[in-house]
């Protein structure tokens, strides 16, 4: 009976991932790591950072995790993926991450996709597509480029709607805050 319940729970978790991710071979572990990355993204949003979270795992062990921190650090490379890869390299004392899976809430940009290839990440799982800057399938397909010496398997669309909602809500709030704080223009005219 326990076996059945565990299987049912695993299937429910997998269904959360979405049909595209299921076709691409997502695992229950991937979904769990994505939920963890989404928590990091929520925490980043609360600090005023763009809500993107990344978790780098070796099997079931989290090697490093981080969220965007560009605003708080002033570091233009403070993307969640890059900071997590940097931390993992320090902790492991090695730059190769070929035995790791990188899970990130938003499709990596060109900078992050380049770091993924150069750090030899074994596999990448991401949530929402990024039609404006995505470099894994939306604008470019850097990790799949046959001219490169490393091409990690990619699984996109894991919890894509939920990841996308985090970003949409954040930017809607930001626009609302900006419009509320900007001085209203006056249309009064003066007669001389």
């Amino acid at each position: 009976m326990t076996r059945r319940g565990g299987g049912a729970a695993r299937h429910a978790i997998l269904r959360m991932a979405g049909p595209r991710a299921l076709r691409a071979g997502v695992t229950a572990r991937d979904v769990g790591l994505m939920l963890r990355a989404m928590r990091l993204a929520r925490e980043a949003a609360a600090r005023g950072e763009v809500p993107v979270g990344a978790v780098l795992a070796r099997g079931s062990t989290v090697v490093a995790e981080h969220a965007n921190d560009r605003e708080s650090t002033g570091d233009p490379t403070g993307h969640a993926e890059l900071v997590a890869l940097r931390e993992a390299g320090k902790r492991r004392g090695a730059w190769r991450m070929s035995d790791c899976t990188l899970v990130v809430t938003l499709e990596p940009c060109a900078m992050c996709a380049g770091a993924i290839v150069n750090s030899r990440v074994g596999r990448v799982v991401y949530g929402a597509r990024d039609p404006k800057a995505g470099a894994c399938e939306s604008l470019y397909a850097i990790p799949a480029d046959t001219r490169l010496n490393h091409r990690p398997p990619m699984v996109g669309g894991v919890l894509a709607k939920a990841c996308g909602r985090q970003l949409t809500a954040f930017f809607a709030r930001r626009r609302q805050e900006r419009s509320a704080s900007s001085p209203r223009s006056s249309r009064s005219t003066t007669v001389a």
Side-chain angles (χ1 to χ4, degrees), residues 139-162:
L139 293 180
Y140 308 103
I142 292 171
D145 192 319
T146 58
R147 296 170 293 181
L148 299 174
N149 62 345
H150 179 68
R151 291 178 296 283
M154 308 288 293
V155 178
V158 176
L159 298 174
K161 288 181 182 178

Side-chain angles (χ1 to χ4, degrees), residues 30-93:
D30 296 334
V31 176
L33 292 171
M34 184 61 76
L35 290 169
R36 189 171 178 146
M38 289 177 68
R39 178 184 48 78
L40 292 167
R42 268 192 311 278
E43 292 168 1
R47 294 188 308 271
E49 300 283 352
V50 173
V52 177
V55 178
L56 188 72
R58 182 175 182 249
S60 59
T61 303
V62 172
V63 177
E65 61 185 5
H66 215 279
N68 279 5
D69 67 3
R70 291 191 314 171
E71 299 299 326
S72 61
T73 63
D75 180 357
T77 67
H79 288 203
E81 305 95 304
L82 291 181
V83 181
L85 286 169
R86 210 175 292 132
E87 279 182 19
K90 287 178 187 173
R91 287 182 184 162
R92 295 176 65 166

Side-chain angles (χ1 to χ4, degrees), residues 39-187:
R39 178 184 48 78
L40 292 167
R42 268 192 311 278
E43 292 168 1
R47 294 188 308 271
E49 300 283 352
V50 173
V52 177
V55 178
L56 188 72
R58 182 175 182 249
S60 59
T61 303
V62 172
V63 177
E65 61 185 5
H66 215 279
N68 279 5
D69 67 3
R70 291 191 314 171
E71 299 299 326
S72 61
T73 63
D75 180 357
T77 67
H79 288 203
E81 305 95 304
L82 291 181
V83 181
L85 286 169
R86 210 175 292 132
E87 279 182 19
K90 287 178 187 173
R91 287 182 184 162
R92 295 176 65 166
W95 61 270
R96 280 188 174 87
M97 303 295 157
S98 56
D99 57 348
C100 295
T101 295
L102 178 66
V103 178
V104 60
T105 58
L106 181 65
E107 178 184 358
C109 69
M111 176 175 65
C112 295
I116 287 165
V117 170
N118 284 303
S119 63
R120 311 296 194 269
V121 169
R123 182 168 171 264
V124 178
V125 175
Y126 65 88
R129 289 181 70 189
D130 186 352
K132 293 182 179 179
C136 293
E137 72 171 316
S138 295
L139 293 180
Y140 308 103
I142 292 171
D145 192 319
T146 58
R147 296 170 293 181
L148 299 174
N149 62 345
H150 179 68
R151 291 178 296 283
M154 308 288 293
V155 178
V158 176
L159 298 174
K161 288 181 182 178
C163 291
R165 280 193 299 266
Q166 280 187 318
L167 289 154
T168 302
F170 174 80
F171 286 113
R173 235 180 358 264
R174 183 181 268 183
R175 282 189 298 275
Q176 188 178 26
E177 290 166 359
R178 284 185 180 156
S179 68
S181 67
S182 67
R184 298 194 185 262
S185 60
S186 172
R187 292 192 167 242

